């Protein structure tokens, strides 16, 4: 038998030498992958303890609504648990097409197309609509799924130009647009509500610039549908014009209480993407239970606008009180309220202080935010009671003073 030869493998060595998570675990500050044992309204049970959930994207509380649970159960009875194929082949159900018609009508666009996740919606759509020589112009704080769609497009089509403008800065956007030849294709890609900052894109000014310089607008409404606008239809409703964006994208995993995503636009554009999007063609389609849950969520949102108004009221209260206390919460205009801290150490400490006191929030460090921009992302739900909000604010003020954030 030949002697065993030990070879150095740099990939294995790299993983064995990475100790960041291990060091945090040993210090007792590791905040990630905490299993939730049960959801109880606005509370969660973790390791046998009840905590107020102040870090969920379940903005309208619909993921726990019994009406969504029931239609999901009914869909499983009718269709089974999986489609077992992509939309392109055997994975299209009549419930998918019904949902797409409902979504298009809700958003105010002629057509819509569903994806199995929100991430796939951005990756597959952005990469499908651009060609070599096109210019993609992206906000520097856009979500990772948008950026991955851009990176995928550039990998597929060398020669695509990427430009990044300062966050929500329309003057910097115009500076870039002015440099691009008018006869070359340009697409502006942006979040509507930015998931870490909680601020809203200056969409009317962006539309003016897009029209002036011949650009196309792709708008990610993942954190704005169900959150802003009088009836929860997002940034275009908030600003009073459904035609402010050429394509609208949204996920199901926030206000719509399910999982998946969709894009909406003109019939020709949606058909074009449908036949070119790799993440659609090569992924199994949205499970029927999830599609049914989204349709019920749309019905509830239309029938119960008070949910949106309650969510907006909570966001205004928390933002106002956190500013009054002296926290740096940036320019948030929504129920996403960041606590900007900067350094990782105090971010871990403040997370643990909240957690020990009975409040779950999300610590966010690089690469989710730029170096030196660590924060705690807090977000709220329409189902939070006044007592929940009072408890959160009391905890934030007490622990913020102790740690030196205010």
């Amino acid at each position: 038998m030949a002697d065993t030869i030990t070879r150095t493998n740099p990939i294995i060595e790299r993983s064995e030498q990475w100790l960041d998570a291990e060091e945090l675990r040993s210090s007792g500050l590791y905040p990630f992958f905490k299993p939730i044992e049960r959801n109880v309204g606005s509370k969660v049970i973790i390791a046998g303890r009840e905590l107020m959930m102040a870090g969920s994207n379940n903005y309208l509380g619909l993921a726990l609504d019994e009406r969504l649970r029931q239609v999901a159960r009914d869909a499983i009875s009718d269709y089974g648990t999986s489609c077992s194929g992509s939309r392109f082949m055997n994975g299209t159900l009549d419930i998918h097409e019904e949902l797409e018609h409902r979504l298009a009508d809700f958003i105010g666009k002629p057509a819509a197309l569903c994806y199995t996740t929100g991430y796939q919606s951005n990756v597959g759509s952005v990469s499908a609509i651009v060609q070599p020589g096109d210019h993609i112009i992206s906000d520097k704080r856009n979500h990772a799924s948008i950026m991955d769609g851009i990176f995928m497009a550039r990998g597929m089509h060398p020669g695509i130009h990427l430009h990044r403008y300062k966050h929500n800065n329309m003057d910097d956007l115009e500076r870039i647009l002015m440099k691009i030849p008018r006869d070359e294709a340009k697409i502006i890609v942006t979040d509507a509500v930015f998931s870490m900052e909680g601020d809203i894109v200056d969409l009317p000014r962006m539309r003016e610039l897009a029209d002036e310089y011949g650009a196309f607008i792709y708008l990610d409404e993942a954190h704005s549908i169900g959150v802003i606008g009088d009836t929860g239809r997002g940034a275009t409703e908030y600003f009073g014009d459904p035609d402010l964006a050429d394509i609208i994208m949204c996920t199901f995993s926030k206000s719509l209480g399910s999982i998946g995503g969709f894009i909406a636009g003109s019939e020709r554009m949606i058909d074009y993407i449908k036949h070119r999007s790799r993440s659609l063609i090569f992924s199994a389609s949205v499970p029927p239970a999830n599609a049914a849950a989204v349709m019920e969520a749309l019905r509830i949102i239309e029938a119960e606008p008070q949910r949106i108004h309650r969510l907006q009221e909570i966001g205004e209260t928390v933002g106002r009180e956190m500013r009054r206390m002296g926290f740096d919460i940036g320019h948030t205009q929504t129920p996403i309220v960041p606590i900007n801290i900067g350094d990782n150490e105090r971010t871990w400490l403040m997370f643990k202080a909240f957690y020990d006191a009975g409040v779950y929030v999300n610590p966010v460090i690089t690469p989710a935010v730029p170096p030196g921009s660590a924060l705690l992302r807090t977000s709220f739900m329409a189902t939070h009671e006044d007592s929940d909000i009072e408890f959160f604010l009391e905890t934030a003020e007490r622990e913020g003073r102790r740690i030196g954030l205010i």
Side-chain angles (χ1 to χ4, degrees):
M1 181 183 293
D3 292 336
T4 301
I5 300 174
T6 302
R7 292 186 175 87
T8 300
N9 187 311
I11 294 176
I12 294 174
E13 284 186 351
R14 199 178 302 149
S15 64
E16 290 178 345
Q17 292 169 5
W18 186 77
L19 300 174
D20 294 11
E22 206 54 49
E23 290 170 0
L24 274 176
R25 289 189 187 102
S26 64
S27 70
L29 295 176
Y30 185 75
F32 305 120
F33 299 101
K34 291 185 178 295
I36 294 173
E37 297 158 12
R38 193 155 52 94
N39 287 283
V40 186
S42 59
K43 310 293 196 302
V44 292
I45 308 299
I46 299 177
R49 292 180 60 221
E50 183 179 272
L51 292 88
M52 173 195 168
M53 172 51 75
S56 174
N57 293 327
N58 182 24
Y59 296 121
L60 298 178
L62 293 178
L64 300 175
D65 193 288
E66 179 55 32
R67 292 167 290 184
L68 270 70
R69 297 177 196 244
Q70 186 57 54
V71 297
R73 288 191 285 264
D74 292 344
I76 289 173
S77 295
D78 291 341
Y79 297 96
T81 58
S82 171
C83 299
S84 303
S86 79
R87 289 291 302 278
F88 213 68
M89 296 297 183
N90 63 301
T92 293
L93 303 175
D94 57 355
I95 196 173
H96 292 135
E97 295 192 337
E98 182 183 355
L99 174 57
E100 287 166 348
H101 289 305
R102 290 280 303 278
L103 289 165
D105 181 66
F106 182 81
I107 292 299
K109 292 292 185 185
L113 176 65
C114 292
Y115 285 79
T116 311
T117 69
Y119 182 91
Q120 290 174 326
S121 304
N122 271 335
V123 169
S125 300
V126 172
S127 60
I129 61 181
V130 292
Q131 292 291 305
D134 290 357
H135 296 262
I136 304 176
I137 310 158
S138 172
D139 190 294
K140 284 191 174 181
R141 296 293 179 91
N142 274 341
H143 191 267
S145 60
I146 292 175
M147 296 311 302
D148 286 354
I150 294 171
F151 299 148
M152 181 174 175
R154 297 180 80 196
M156 292 165 57
H157 305 298
I160 289 173
H161 308 283
L162 171 60
H163 313 267
R164 302 185 73 182
Y165 60 92
K166 296 175 184 176
H167 173 55
N168 213 3
N169 188 319
M170 297 301 107
D171 291 338
D172 199 41
L173 172 60
E174 183 171 24
R175 177 188 63 80
I176 291 171
L177 287 167
M178 290 173 64
K179 294 181 177 181
I180 302 172
R182 288 184 176 269
D183 61 344
E184 295 185 7
K186 298 172 278 292
I187 175 173
I188 303 168
V189 186
T190 183
D191 282 312
V193 167
F194 291 87
S195 62
M196 295 299 162
E197 295 78 11
D199 54 345
I200 302 170
V201 67
D202 186 354
L203 193 56
R205 178 59 180 150
M206 179 177 285
R207 182 76 266 173
E208 290 175 3
L209 292 173
D211 291 343
E212 182 177 352
Y213 294 96
F216 181 96
I217 295 179
Y218 180 107
L219 183 68
D220 180 333
E221 297 248 43
H223 294 271
S224 54
I225 297 295
V227 176
I228 62 174
D230 191 52
T231 64
R233 283 168 167 80
T236 57
E237 181 183 52
Y238 180 83
F239 290 112
D241 185 354
D243 294 324
L244 287 172
D246 298 296
I247 280 187
I248 287 174
M249 172 271 173
C250 187
T251 61
F252 299 154
S253 56
K254 278 73 175 178
S255 294
L256 295 174
S258 186
I259 191 167
F262 74 95
I263 56 168
S266 70
E267 290 183 359
R268 293 298 295 271
M269 177 59 71
I270 297 303
D271 198 43
Y272 178 76
I273 294 172
K274 184 185 291 187
H275 291 85
R276 294 175 56 84
S277 176
R278 293 176 65 84
S279 66
L280 180 86
I281 294 170
F282 298 107
S283 291
S285 56
V286 177
N290 297 104
V294 176
M295 282 199 285
E296 181 64 8
L298 291 172
R299 188 195 67 76
I300 294 171
I301 289 171
E302 290 174 330
E304 301 176 7
Q306 64 270 22
R307 286 178 177 268
I308 293 101
H309 303 156
R310 171 62 177 166
L311 178 66
Q312 293 167 353
E313 175 189 296
I314 289 171
E316 290 168 5
T317 298
V318 174
R320 180 182 66 249
E321 291 303 305
M322 293 292 279
R323 286 193 176 98
R324 180 190 61 77
M325 293 175 200
F327 282 100
D328 177 3
I329 62 170
H331 301 288
T332 182
Q333 301 162 267
T334 64
I336 299 168
V337 182
I339 301 175
N340 295 309
I341 298 174
D343 62 276
N344 289 352
E345 183 178 354
R346 287 195 303 167
T347 301
W348 301 133
L349 290 173
M350 189 63 180
F351 163 81
K352 190 170 189 302
F354 267 124
Y355 187 83
D356 290 347
V359 180
Y360 186 93
V361 299
N362 294 296
V364 184
I365 59 170
T366 305
V369 290
S373 302
L375 58 89
L376 294 178
R377 181 186 186 273
T378 73
S379 52
F380 299 88
M381 300 180 285
T383 49
H384 277 126
E385 302 288 344
D386 289 346
S387 57
D388 295 326
I389 302 305
E390 291 169 7
F391 177 60
F392 170 82
L393 292 171
E394 290 169 0
T395 304
E397 184 168 26
R398 182 184 67 248
E399 300 303 329
R401 290 195 187 284
R402 184 175 66 83
I403 292 174
L405 299 183
I406 55 175

